Amino acid sequence: MRALLVVNPQATSTTAAGRDVLTHALASELKLEVLQTRYRGHAAEGTAAAVRDGVELVVALGGDGTVNEVVNGLLADQTGTGSTAPRPDAEATAMLAVVPGGSANVFARALGMQRDPVEATGQVLAALAAGRRRMVGLGHADDRWFTFNAGMGWDADVVAAVERARAQGHEASPGRYAATALAQYLAQLRRPPSMTVHIPGADPLPGVKLAFVSNTDPWTFLSGRAVRTNPRSSFGSGLGLFALRSLGPRTIAAVLGQILSSDGNPHGRHVVRQDAVPLVRITSDTPLALQLDGDHLGERTDVEFLSVPAALRVVV
């Protein structure tokens, strides 16, 4: 089988020596090409070119950002143009395998991959030998695919601020995320945003201050602890919506306790939650930050998030 290994050399949980071991293990069973990414977008470009050249499997070795780029590269020629409901043919494109190498690895962990990259590589090879494949649904928004979460407002502002810090040479540690989230929360309290949420079959919901969209559970991890906004969401059930109509300290304190608990069942007077919807549209009179899979895409006033079932074949 022809395969491409996409390696992010900046991945936080692998070393150069470890990546060599993984490369040799995969090359022993596959006709392997290796792409080491050098800039933002490189993984997507290289994956798209390899798929057009006939590669049958793409293995992403890196964090969730690398996985997101690879997925967008895999499906680059499957979405069409101007389509509001992309329906890729999963059988007509290459398969995906994921070896976690980042700090959170939300998508890989939701798939049940081992957190250790060597053990995960063994999982991939065993799945290939046994012919195991899983059809995975994805989210689609702003002409981009996302694998596990998206959001507008507070969380996207946090992502943008951390990206700016990383560009200045600072590590994207859990502590930095926590400190940035607090700073952005205080800014939101002073100038709260206002969004309107639209879901099929329901009246528009104005006055929303925060909105998250999930493609699976958990929404993310914080220092290894699951953050669960929509515990009944899964790769095949549709999108989860989690929204707040207040950012008051009491509301935030209660919700944080709920989403960090083991059962992750957020509820309350100011909580809006749907765990399985085909579409979520979020509008705002003022531009708000948008993030997909932890990647800041700039500011938007109107974004439609779509659930696309069975969009991708994953070796797992």
Side-chain angles (χ1 to χ4, degrees):
M1 179 182 291
R2 286 188 62 195
L4 174 70
L5 173 63
V6 179
V7 179
N8 177 3
Q10 305 302 318
T12 56
S13 63
T14 64
T15 63
R19 290 191 290 271
D20 286 343
V21 170
L22 305 184
T23 300
H24 287 305
L26 292 168
S28 68
E29 302 294 334
L30 301 164
K31 186 178 179 181
L32 190 70
E33 304 167 39
V34 180
L35 170 66
Q36 292 209 32
T37 60
R38 300 192 305 273
Y39 52 86
R40 184 170 176 168
H42 194 187
E45 293 171 7
T47 297
V51 170
R52 286 192 290 268
D53 193 42
V55 159
E56 303 162 84
L57 169 70
V58 180
V59 182
L61 171 55
D64 288 306
T66 301
V67 174
N68 178 276
E69 283 202 25
V70 167
V71 167
N72 276 277
L74 280 168
L75 300 177
D77 296 329
Q78 292 272 336
T79 59
T81 57
S83 173
T84 58
R87 289 292 182 267
D89 181 359
E91 299 294 334
T93 192
M95 297 179 292
L96 171 71
V98 179
V99 176
S103 54
N105 305 304
V106 181
F107 183 67
R109 291 167 74 171
L111 288 170
M113 300 301 297
Q114 295 291 330
R115 297 180 64 182
D116 179 81
V118 174
E119 293 181 8
T121 301
Q123 269 186 279
V124 170
L125 292 173
L128 285 169
R132 291 197 303 270
R133 315 284 188 267
R134 177 178 175 180
M135 300 300 293
V136 170
L138 298 173
H140 190 266
D142 202 53
D143 294 326
R144 287 276 300 271
W145 298 92
F146 64 96
T147 64
F148 63 95
N149 79 29
M152 290 182 73
W154 182 12
D155 68 318
D157 286 328
V158 172
V159 169
V162 171
E163 284 189 5
R164 289 193 295 268
R166 291 182 68 178
Q168 297 170 0
H170 300 291
E171 181 185 2
S173 64
R176 180 168 296 279
Y177 271 104
T180 304
L182 177 59
Q184 292 296 328
Y185 169 65
L186 295 175
Q188 301 267 332
L189 270 183
R190 290 191 294 269
R191 300 183 63 182
S194 183
M195 297 172 256
T196 300
V197 173
H198 313 256
I199 58 175
D203 293 334
L205 181 66
V208 169
K209 308 303 180 186
L210 172 151
F212 296 161
V213 177
S214 298
N215 187 49
T216 186
D217 172 66
W219 181 74
T220 190
F221 290 89
L222 180 63
S223 296
R225 192 171 184 174
V227 179
R228 308 188 65 194
T229 60
N230 297 84
R232 290 190 290 274
S233 289
S234 69
F235 288 126
S237 66
L239 297 178
L241 166 68
F242 174 83
L244 293 179
R245 288 179 285 200
S246 170
L247 294 179
R250 287 187 179 181
T251 298
I252 295 300
V255 166
L256 282 176
Q258 292 168 352
I259 65 177
L260 290 172
S261 66
S262 58
D263 61 351
N265 186 31
H267 59 278
R269 184 163 59 97
H270 297 296
V271 175
V272 178
R273 197 181 108 199
Q274 295 280 344
D275 286 344
V277 294
L279 180 152
V280 177
R281 181 184 172 206
I282 301 173
T283 60
S284 172
D285 290 336
T286 59
L288 297 175
L290 168 69
Q291 69 85 14
L292 303 181
D293 284 350
D295 186 12
H296 177 237
L297 299 186
E299 295 185 336
R300 306 287 189 273
T301 58
D302 190 338
V303 180
E304 192 170 76
F305 304 85
L306 293 164
S307 171
V308 183
L312 197 64
R313 287 180 302 156
V314 181
V315 175
V316 65

